[in-house]
Structure formats: structure tokens, C-alpha cells
Amino acid sequence: MQDNRERIIVRTSIVGIVTNVLLAVFKAGVGLVSNSIAVVLDAVNNLSDALSSVITIFGAKIANKKPDKNHPLGHGRVEYLSALIVAAIVLYAGLTSLIESVKKIINPGAVNYSTVSLIIIAVAVVTKIVLGRYVKSKGEQVNSGALVASGTDALSDAALSFAVLVTALLYTFKGISLEAYVGVIISGFIIKAGIEMISDTVADILGKRAEPEVARKIKDIIVEEPDVRGAYDLFVHDYGPGKAYASVHVELPDTYNVEQVDVLTRKLADRVFRETGVIMTGIGVYSHSTDAEAVAIEREVKELVMAHEWALNVHGFHIDNEKKIIRFDVVTNFDIKHGEAIHILSEEIKEKYPGYNPVIIADIDVTD
């Protein structure tokens, strides 16, 4: 599957390289002959797109390398680095274009568009629309952020090329020269696209909240088991497109023995992988008290905790009557520090249940 994904990325990128190089050559010729900075910058933008496709190919090749001793989880995250390089190239092209456009505004020159030039620009608009839709659809098909970004960029380029065409028509038929100002607008769009691409890629590298659909699917699979009271603390670790590992805690009755836990967790890991492609690296267990007294105390403690606006969830509740310990996890939002939340809840529980020692762990809201 990964080999097929790589082939699609490489083939799509090659189509993008060939198309963008040809467009760059034609546009550069038109821009130089007509002395149009807007058309020349549009050609430069096409060259940066071609270079981006080359980097995408190299990124896909390296990302598909087999795991080794130093990289046991593979090389998938290289794709994020390649996407970051592509974004940097786009940003550089935008800044360079802005500088040249401003120079042209300060020192304008006469432009001269021929009929052939106008036809070439018009064909380029249509070509970019077709290329953008093709590349973006292939990127979505194989979950390639670099391809999706390239396709989106190509569609933006089509709109910018259309603006250049309108500018050329205005100058040809009305004598109104706006091409240097259009160059500034084009530069702004390119810079904006580069910044957004960098922001998205950095978010992938830093680690972000799991995709809601994936997290929901994993939790649904787990809680379908009759004895599972809930699935919590789900962490999905992204090691590149199509390479996800996860860990989770499940809440089970305290009557379960080790063999039952082993059978259940293996069953869950197998099903999660088959239905989502996510590899479960660990399934921890919360022991849930089943006696009537503990159930009553649990209900009261949950009401106490959930009375706070910053409390999102309580789970893993268990009471050790012999040692007089009440333990549970609480999920808080980002409006309160973990230490502060634990202190507040501990004091309230001690006041309500004298003689009991609360052991509370504050969890991070990563999927809810």
C-alpha cells in the first residue's frame, strides 16, 4: 500500500514538474518580450512550483524507506520536513516578487502585449485550474499534505494568472497600466500561501490533536465491548501519513483477572488496526469498583468535580476501603493548571469524606 502511495505521489509530482516548467518557459518569454513584471513573476511562481514538486518526490522516496535500527518507526515524518522546505520556497518566491513589483512601481516601463501573448496567458489559466484539481485530488486520495498544498497553490496560481490576463487586456484595449500593482497583489497571495503552509506543517511536526473522526472511531470500537465502561487518555502519535500509533486506557470492572484483560486488549488492538489502520502500542486498564457503596460515592464525587467549569471528565474511579484511598483521573480544560485543579479537588473531597485520602491525576484534553 505504501509503495502504491509513493508511486502516485511521484507520478503526480512529475506531471506537476513538466507542466510548471513548460508554463514557466512560455510565461517568461511573454513577460520578457512584453516587458511585463506581472507575467515574469507569474513565471517565477511556476518555477517555484516545479521545484516544490521535485522536493515532494525526494520527500516521498525517503519517507517510504523501511524502518531501521536508528529509526524503528520509519521515516514518515520526512514528508513534513519536505513540506516545510516547499513552504519556505513559496515564501521566498513571494518576498522576491514583492520587492521586484515595488521596484517596477517606482520605475515603471512601457509594456506591449501581443495577441499570442494574451492567448498563452489564457491557456495558462485553464492549465493551472486542471493541474490544481488533479494534484489536489491525488493528494487527498493518498493523504499527502505536500500534494494537497501544491494543488491548492496551483488553484491560487490560476486565479492570479487570471488577474494578470485581465491586467493585460485592460492595458491592450484601454491603455490602463496596472501590471506592477497586480504584481504586488500576486506577491501578497504567494506570501500568504507560504505562511499558511509553514504554519500547518509546523503544527504537524509539533504534534496536534488527533483527527476527530479517527479518535471517535477508535473509542467507538473499544466501548462496543460489553464490559468496557469507557475509553480514556487516547493518544495518537503521528509518524507520517498512514503511519499512526496510539495508546489508550480502558475502564473495566475490578472483578476482571489478568487473563481476561489480556484476551480483551489483544482483541481490541486487532480490531482497531483492521478498521482504522492505527497500531495500538499500549492499552492500559483502570479498575472500576463494583460494590454498592463505592458506586454511590463515585456518583457523589463526580457531581462534586463536574460542578467546576474547568472539569471535563472523570474516569478511572476506584475506592480502596481498606487503605481509605479514593483515586480517579480528571480531564481539565486549559483554563486551569493541573496542580491547582488537584489541590482544589483534594481539599473538597477530604472535607466531604473525612478519613479518605484522594489520589487524583489530572489528564490533558487531547481528543475530546
Side-chain angles (χ1 to χ4, degrees):
M1 184 175 178
Q2 284 297 115
D3 290 339
N4 183 55
R5 178 177 182 275
E6 180 192 340
R7 282 195 294 271
I8 292 174
I9 292 175
V10 171
R11 184 168 61 244
T12 304
S13 297
I14 290 175
V15 171
I17 292 170
V18 173
T19 304
N20 280 305
V21 168
L22 290 175
L23 287 175
V25 170
F26 284 117
K27 287 181 181 178
V30 170
L32 293 174
V33 171
S34 61
N35 193 33
S36 169
I37 184 65
V39 178
V40 171
L41 293 180
D42 210 11
V44 172
N45 191 29
N46 285 135
L47 275 180
S48 71
D49 291 344
L51 180 57
S52 298
S53 295
V54 172
I55 294 172
T56 298
I57 290 176
F58 279 106
K61 288 287 186 181
I62 297 173
N64 201 40
K65 286 176 61 179
K66 294 180 180 180
D68 54 38
K69 184 177 180 180
N70 293 325
H71 308 92
L73 296 177
H75 302 76
R77 286 181 174 174
V78 167
E79 282 200 33
Y80 298 144
L81 295 178
S82 65
L84 193 60
I85 295 172
V86 169
I89 292 172
V90 171
L91 182 59
Y92 175 77
L95 292 172
T96 303
S97 299
L98 179 62
I99 293 172
E100 294 303 318
S101 297
V102 172
K103 288 181 179 178
K104 197 71 173 180
I105 291 174
I106 297 172
N107 299 302
V111 291
N112 181 29
Y113 296 104
S114 66
T115 302
V116 174
S117 299
L118 297 176
I119 292 174
I120 290 175
I121 297 173
V123 170
V125 173
V126 176
T127 302
K128 268 295 189 178
I129 292 174
V130 174
L131 179 65
R133 291 173 64 88
Y134 169 74
V135 174
K136 188 175 181 179
S137 67
K138 289 296 183 181
E140 292 172 345
Q141 177 186 333
V142 299
N143 189 28
S144 170
L147 281 185
V148 171
S150 295
T152 302
D153 188 40
L155 291 173
S156 299
D157 291 346
L160 298 178
S161 294
F162 180 74
V164 173
L165 176 61
V166 171
T167 301
L169 291 172
L170 280 174
Y171 184 80
T172 301
F173 295 104
K174 297 293 184 179
I176 302 173
S177 180
L178 299 173
E179 58 106 25
Y181 297 95
V182 170
V184 171
I185 295 173
I186 292 175
S187 303
F189 276 99
I190 297 173
I191 291 170
K192 179 176 180 291
I195 292 174
E196 289 176 349
M197 290 166 65
I198 289 174
S199 177
D200 291 342
T201 307
V202 168
D204 285 325
I205 294 173
L206 289 177
K208 58 184 180 181
R209 188 182 298 274
E211 293 295 331
E213 297 80 8
V214 175
R216 192 178 304 114
K217 179 63 175 176
I218 293 174
K219 287 187 175 182
D220 287 346
I221 290 172
I222 292 173
V223 298
E224 282 177 9
E225 288 296 321
D227 290 333
V228 176
R229 289 177 51 89
Y232 308 101
D233 311 331
L234 175 63
F235 282 83
V236 180
H237 308 276
D238 186 355
Y239 283 87
K243 298 175 181 177
Y245 300 83
S247 60
V248 70
H249 274 94
V250 297
E251 194 168 35
L252 298 174
D254 56 7
T255 55
Y256 255 53
N257 60 41
V258 175
E259 182 180 359
Q260 288 175 299
V261 171
D262 183 58
V263 171
L264 177 63
T265 54
R266 289 176 186 272
K267 177 183 178 182
L268 291 174
D270 177 65
R271 188 178 166 197
V272 168
F273 177 72
R274 284 189 288 104
E275 297 186 25
T276 69
V278 176
I279 298 173
M280 299 302 302
T281 57
I283 300 179
V285 175
Y286 287 128
S287 173
H288 180 263
S289 299
T290 54
D291 67 85
E293 182 183 358
V295 171
I297 294 177
E298 176 185 5
R299 183 169 56 251
E300 293 174 352
V301 169
K302 283 188 174 180
E303 289 178 359
L304 181 151
V305 174
M306 298 306 293
H308 297 283
E309 292 184 358
W310 40 259
L312 303 178
N313 180 273
V314 176
H315 57 266
F317 190 92
H318 189 272
I319 295 179
D320 187 331
N321 286 315
E322 184 179 337
K323 296 181 179 179
K324 296 295 183 179
I325 293 176
I326 297 176
R327 66 174 186 263
F328 62 88
D329 287 17
V330 57
V331 179
T332 67
N333 62 24
F334 295 95
D335 294 334
I336 189 170
K337 294 180 179 180
H338 285 175
E340 183 182 354
I342 292 173
H343 175 73
I344 292 173
L345 295 178
S346 295
E347 292 301 314
E348 291 178 349
I349 292 173
K350 287 178 182 178
E351 181 179 348
K352 189 173 183 63
Y353 300 100
Y356 279 90
N357 181 35
V359 177
I360 306 170
I361 295 178
D363 284 342
I364 302 171
D365 173 28
V366 293
T367 59
D368 296 328

